[in-house]
């Protein structure tokens, strides 16, 4: 008589895999016109820029002097004098807003991981928004100039800066593009700025945006005592 077959092994319990969770992190960005309430953040950004450019020995600006010169009483309309676009970031979508001079640029940015901002509280935005986690991440300061060859006005960018933890994410490009878009909208002929010769990353970035680097030109500057000496020259 044949031996009885062994009982079949117990059936393994089905393995339940966890539901996949969405990966990545969305950061919402806004570029808007700065106001006098933003001066404390603007001052800190300019100082950080001076540190990055190794030019702190030339940094003399104070919040009071910036407020008085950038946002004086009866200030001219934006784009006709000194103008600042402020870059802000939030983990929540920005509510739509209107400005008679400039409609804020709202976009989003998808990241693999959230950004660790050690200065988030120091740069908490002063904007009056329904959301309260808005952080200032950078700025661009510009004003009109003029090209006699083109017979057209243009914009000259004095400063463009993005805080370190937000760099290499396309945010500087958004600031620069906002200025260029405004110039094109107003029928202006060009946008110009300067770059330090050792900042090869910035040079490459500007070239990728279509900017021409003009090595045959040199900056000439009168400032400090050399400038004041001309106040006593008989003309």
């Amino acid at each position: 008589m044949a031996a009885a077959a062994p009982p079949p092994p117990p059936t393994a319990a089905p393995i339940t895999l966890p539901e996949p969770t969405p990966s990545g992190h969305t950061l919402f960005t806004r570029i808007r016109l700065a106001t006098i309430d933003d001066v404390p953040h603007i001052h800190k950004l300019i100082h950080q820029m001076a540190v990055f450019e190794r030019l702190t020995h030339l940094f003399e600006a104070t919040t009071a002097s910036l407020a008085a010169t950038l946002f004086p009483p009866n200030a001219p309309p934006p784009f006709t004098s000194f103008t600042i676009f402020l870059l802000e970031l939030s983990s929540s979508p920005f509510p739509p807003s209107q400005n008679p001079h400039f409609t804020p640029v709202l976009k989003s940015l998808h990241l693999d991981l959230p950004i660790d901002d050690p200065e988030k509280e120091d740069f908490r935005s002063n904007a009056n928004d329904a959301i309260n986690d808005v952080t200032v991440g950078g700025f661009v300061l510009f004003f009109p100039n003029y090209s006699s060859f083109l017979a057209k006005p243009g914009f000259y960018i004095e400063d463009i800066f993005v805080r370190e933890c937000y760099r290499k994410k396309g945010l500087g490009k958004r600031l620069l593009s906002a200025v260029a878009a405004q110039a094109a909208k107003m029928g202006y002929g060009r946008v110009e700025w300067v770059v330090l010769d050792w900042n090869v990353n910035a040079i490459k970035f500007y070239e990728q945006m279509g900017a021409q680097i003009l090595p045959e030109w040199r900056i000439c500057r009168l400032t400090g005592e050399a400038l004041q000496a001309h106040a006593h020259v008989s003309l």
Side-chain angles (χ1 to χ4, degrees), residues 13 37 39 62 109 114 155 161 166 178 211 214:
D37 293 333
V39 166
T62 64
L109 180 67
F155 282 140
F161 181 76
Y166 295 109
L214 306 175

Side-chain angles (χ1 to χ4, degrees), residues 41-42 44-53 85-87 119 123 136-141 157-167 171-172 175-176 206:
H41 290 324
I42 294 169
K44 287 183 287 188
L45 289 168
I46 295 173
H47 182 263
Q48 288 193 357
M49 181 177 63
V51 172
F52 173 77
E53 294 181 344
F85 283 158
L86 211 62
L87 168 68
E119 298 178 296
F123 282 94
V136 174
F139 80 112
V140 56
L141 188 161
I157 295 177
E158 176 69 18
D159 297 320
I160 181 169
F161 181 76
V162 174
R163 290 172 50 217
E164 184 175 5
C165 61
Y166 295 109
R167 291 176 198 157
L171 298 174
L175 279 170
L176 187 56
Y206 295 143

Side-chain angles (χ1 to χ4, degrees), residues 7-68:
T11 303
I15 299 175
T16 304
L17 297 175
E19 291 291 326
T21 55
S23 61
H25 177 76
T26 300
L27 191 64
F28 297 91
T29 69
R30 174 171 68 185
I31 294 175
R32 64 168 175 87
L33 284 170
T35 71
I36 194 170
D37 293 333
D38 300 308
V39 166
H41 290 324
I42 294 169
H43 181 259
K44 287 183 287 188
L45 289 168
I46 295 173
H47 182 263
Q48 288 193 357
M49 181 177 63
V51 172
F52 173 77
E53 294 181 344
R54 309 167 194 171
L55 296 173
T56 52
H57 59 289
L58 301 177
F59 181 76
E60 299 179 357
T62 64
T63 54
S65 63
L66 288 172

Side-chain angles (χ1 to χ4, degrees), residues 38-219:
D38 300 308
V39 166
H41 290 324
I42 294 169
H43 181 259
K44 287 183 287 188
L45 289 168
I46 295 173
H47 182 263
Q48 288 193 357
M49 181 177 63
V51 172
F52 173 77
E53 294 181 344
R54 309 167 194 171
L55 296 173
T56 52
H57 59 289
L58 301 177
F59 181 76
E60 299 179 357
T62 64
T63 54
S65 63
L66 288 172
T69 52
L70 294 175
F71 303 99
N74 303 313
F79 312 121
T80 63
S81 183
F82 311 121
T83 302
I84 293 179
F85 283 158
L86 211 62
L87 168 68
E88 295 176 316
L89 310 107
S90 174
S91 59
S92 303
F94 286 96
S97 60
Q98 294 294 326
N99 182 290
H101 301 288
F102 179 76
T103 300
V105 180
L106 307 180
K107 292 187 178 182
S108 60
L109 180 67
H110 186 75
L111 305 168
D112 292 333
L113 295 170
I115 295 174
D116 180 21
D117 183 354
E119 298 178 296
K120 185 172 183 177
E121 288 302 317
D122 291 338
F123 282 94
R124 187 174 293 277
S125 175
N126 295 319
N128 185 18
D129 284 309
I131 52 179
N132 60 9
D133 71 333
V134 180
T135 304
V136 174
F139 80 112
V140 56
L141 188 161
F142 58 102
F143 48 85
N145 62 4
Y146 188 80
S147 168
S148 57
F149 282 18
L150 297 178
K152 287 184 176 183
F155 282 140
Y156 180 81
I157 295 177
E158 176 69 18
D159 297 320
I160 181 169
F161 181 76
V162 174
R163 290 172 50 217
E164 184 175 5
C165 61
Y166 295 109
R167 291 176 198 157
K168 298 185 178 181
K169 295 171 177 60
L171 298 174
K173 180 178 180 180
R174 293 186 184 185
L175 279 170
L176 187 56
S177 292
V179 178
Q182 185 66 30
K185 179 181 177 181
M186 297 175 68
Y188 284 9
R190 63 192 185 193
V191 176
E192 292 183 311
W193 62 96
V194 298
V195 60
L196 291 166
D197 58 1
W198 56 260
N199 197 345
V200 293
N201 289 334
I203 292 171
K204 182 178 180 180
F205 161 65
Y206 295 143
E207 289 178 330
Q208 290 173 343
M209 289 199 66
Q212 293 178 296
I213 308 299
L214 306 175
E216 66 273 19
W217 289 84
R218 295 291 184 269
I219 297 173

